[in-house]
Amino acid sequence: MTVDTTGTPQAPALPVAPATTTAAPTAHVPRRTGFTISADGAYAACLAEATVPSEEGEGGGGWYVERWSLDGPEPYAVALPATQPEEPGTQVLPLPDGRVLVRREVGAANGGATGGATGGGNGAWNGGGIAGRAAVGAESGAGAEGGAKDRTGNGIGGSGGDGGADEEPSAAGAGPDSGPDSGPDSGSGAGVAAGPGTPATVCHDLSLLYPSGTGTGAQRIGALAGSDVRLLPPAPFGAFATCYDAGGGVTSLWQLCDAGGGSGGGPVHLVTVPGRCTGGAWLDRAGRLLALDREMDGRTKAVVVDLHAGQVSPLLQLTEDSDDRLLLAEPDSGLMIVRSDATGEARLGWGVLGSRHPVRFPDTLRVAGALLSPVAAQPGQILTPEVCVVAFRSAVPGGGSSLALWRPGERRLHWRPAPADWLGPAARWLPRSPLHLPTPTALHPYDPPPVAAPAPLALPAPRVVRARALPPARRPLAVLPLQKAPLTPVA
């Protein structure tokens, strides 16, 4: 990721490419990964691995993007293949309008900065020169139109300059999950080499895919360069990404497109956060407050980023030397599910956003031989976190999984069988609707467990009260405020 003379992060400038169309293949899908549901629950997207039938049998067809429609009587998928198979590390994000945002790693950034140092030129980028990769764009040191902007609308990338024809990335080379790229960067520019152990700055291409006739329509919206670029969870108000710069030790947040899928000429820079940020959970329905897990000074703690004010504030600080991560947040009730080692071991806990009460670590969420991971929380429970149902995926060694439903106000887990072909694990839970687990053929509904009725009061039998001497006066009991209570496990 590059910076200009004022310190504003830059993204490589890429011209908006004309829509392209690619025919969909006829293939068998043995597995899928990265299944993600849109914020409104109408669509989903994932990477699918295809095997193409031939006279010799089924052969490898590679990975491609698959979009799912979930608002009908049964889910169905539409293949969105590119001109080349996708890398396993490609990330997809479904939008409410049915398009799919795709982030692809396309090669080392050049003509800018590596490791966060300022490079030459105006933030231009050359995607060529990487072994096994096709060139993406032909920008030179002058930059190009359609580059990234800051949130004031001012261009961050260079202007002027003519961009070359855009191509899809080659299938060769390693994705982000399968190892680093090999081969030197042979493009032009005055990049600064990364030091030993510092991840190189890599350019990530951002495109929108959508069905077009019998094939795939594609529209490139820009690119981001950094040591690690990740799309944030779906939101009804647009698509966002984090871009980590290992050299500078900072993470920048970018808006990639608005709720309607419009890119506005490229990614828009929102705020820069010190440290390396991962995860991501939206804390409100307006898209202002975003929680991230920030790694800094050897510890990981959740922080809140106000995207409108550009401010960062602590969210979880259970102890000075604990790692406190936010796994799930439900904006209506304010319920938060966290994982922390503040008790001496990594445990699941729950708290309430904005509350002065401490995070609690119930023994109910400790299941021997199983790993519980939250997948969804019941929406619409306004300011009543104790009755908000949380759905957990329980994974056991050997690959088996089941569904556990839990309320913070109860001391038990409600176990339900999970579909063997559960996609994700992902879940859809809309207001005034049951929980749904998606499979390739159906959406399996799960009603919330009934609220446990309070135990009836046992009235004592009447008895005669005799007068007796009063006991000696005792020291009044000192009640410790809950926000200062010791951090101990509770049921």
Side-chain angles (χ1 to χ4, degrees):
M1 182 180 63
T2 59
V3 294
D4 63 11
T5 55
T6 63
T8 305
Q10 290 184 320
L14 284 179
V16 176
T20 58
T21 302
T22 305
T26 301
H28 170 65
V29 180
R31 61 174 177 159
R32 295 176 172 89
T33 184
F35 195 90
T36 305
I37 300 176
S38 63
D40 63 351
Y43 296 96
C46 66
L47 281 186
E49 185 184 27
T51 56
V52 181
S54 64
E55 296 179 356
E56 293 78 15
E58 289 190 346
W63 294 89
Y64 65 93
V65 178
E66 199 174 55
R67 192 203 70 177
W68 288 72
S69 295
L70 304 179
D71 55 353
E74 63 181 28
Y76 69 92
V78 175
L80 299 177
T83 56
Q84 297 287 343
E86 302 288 353
E87 296 289 349
T90 298
Q91 193 178 4
V92 298
L93 185 73
L95 301 181
D97 64 358
R99 289 187 285 182
V100 179
L101 177 62
V102 179
R103 177 199 59 79
R104 301 182 179 101
E105 181 182 324
V106 295
N110 189 29
T114 301
T118 302
N122 293 323
W125 165 73
N126 188 329
I130 302 299
R133 298 279 184 177
V136 181
E139 288 80 19
S140 62
E145 295 179 355
K149 300 177 181 179
D150 60 18
R151 65 178 305 122
T152 63
N154 298 322
I156 294 179
S159 60
D162 295 326
D166 293 318
E167 301 175 10
E168 296 293 337
S170 168
D177 296 338
S178 57
D181 288 314
S182 60
D185 189 346
S186 60
S188 61
V192 180
T198 302
T201 300
V202 179
C203 194
H204 297 256
D205 179 66
L206 304 166
S207 300
L208 290 171
L209 303 184
Y210 51 90
S212 179
T214 59
T216 303
Q219 185 74 46
R220 179 168 286 113
I221 62 174
L224 290 175
S227 307
D228 185 30
V229 176
R230 292 289 165 180
L231 302 180
L232 287 170
F237 32 78
F240 301 80
T242 58
C243 182
Y244 174 62
D245 175 13
V250 296
T251 301
S252 56
L253 271 65
W254 300 78
Q255 182 171 2
L256 308 180
C257 60
D258 55 26
S263 62
V268 177
H269 176 253
L270 301 177
V271 64
T272 298
V273 181
R276 179 169 190 170
C277 296
T278 56
W282 296 100
L283 303 180
D284 63 349
R285 302 293 185 189
R288 176 169 184 168
L289 300 179
L290 172 67
L292 295 169
D293 297 330
R294 179 173 66 176
E295 181 182 351
M296 178 179 285
D297 300 328
R299 295 296 175 189
T300 301
K301 296 188 178 294
V303 297
V304 179
V305 183
D306 187 328
L307 299 182
H308 292 182
Q311 298 176 347
V312 182
S313 56
L315 177 62
L316 295 176
Q317 286 187 326
L318 303 189
T319 65
E320 291 294 332
D321 55 353
S322 61
D323 291 324
D324 312 320
R325 293 176 171 86
L326 179 65
L327 303 184
L328 181 144
E330 206 297 304
D332 295 335
S333 62
L335 178 65
M336 301 185 299
I337 303 297
V338 307
R339 188 182 299 276
S340 172
D341 59 1
T343 61
E345 60 176 329
R347 296 187 55 176
L348 289 173
W350 70 279
V352 181
L353 181 66
S355 172
R356 296 180 61 87
H357 295 173
V359 172
R360 302 186 182 187
F361 297 87
D363 289 333
T364 307
L365 298 182
R366 301 179 70 183
V367 180
L371 176 64
L372 294 182
S373 302
V375 295
Q378 183 181 17
Q381 306 300 306
I382 306 298
L383 301 179
T384 53
E386 294 81 4
V387 299
C388 179
V389 181
V390 182
F392 291 89
R393 175 181 181 261
S394 175
V396 298
S401 64
S402 57
L403 179 68
L405 303 178
W406 171 79
R407 284 188 180 93
E410 298 179 355
R411 297 189 178 187
R412 58 169 295 193
L413 290 171
H414 301 267
W415 293 97
R416 302 288 187 271
D421 51 354
W422 183 6
L423 294 172
R428 185 184 76 172
W429 207 336
L430 302 178
R432 298 175 298 279
S433 175
L435 169 71
H436 286 92
L437 302 187
T439 68
T441 57
L443 288 173
H444 295 262
Y446 293 83
D447 290 322
V451 178
L457 295 177
L459 298 178
R463 60 189 180 91
V464 178
V465 179
R466 304 177 185 274
R468 60 178 180 176
L470 294 177
R474 296 180 180 179
R475 185 177 61 181
L477 179 65
V479 179
L480 187 65
L482 188 57
Q483 62 267 26
K484 296 181 181 179
L487 191 62
T488 56
V490 296

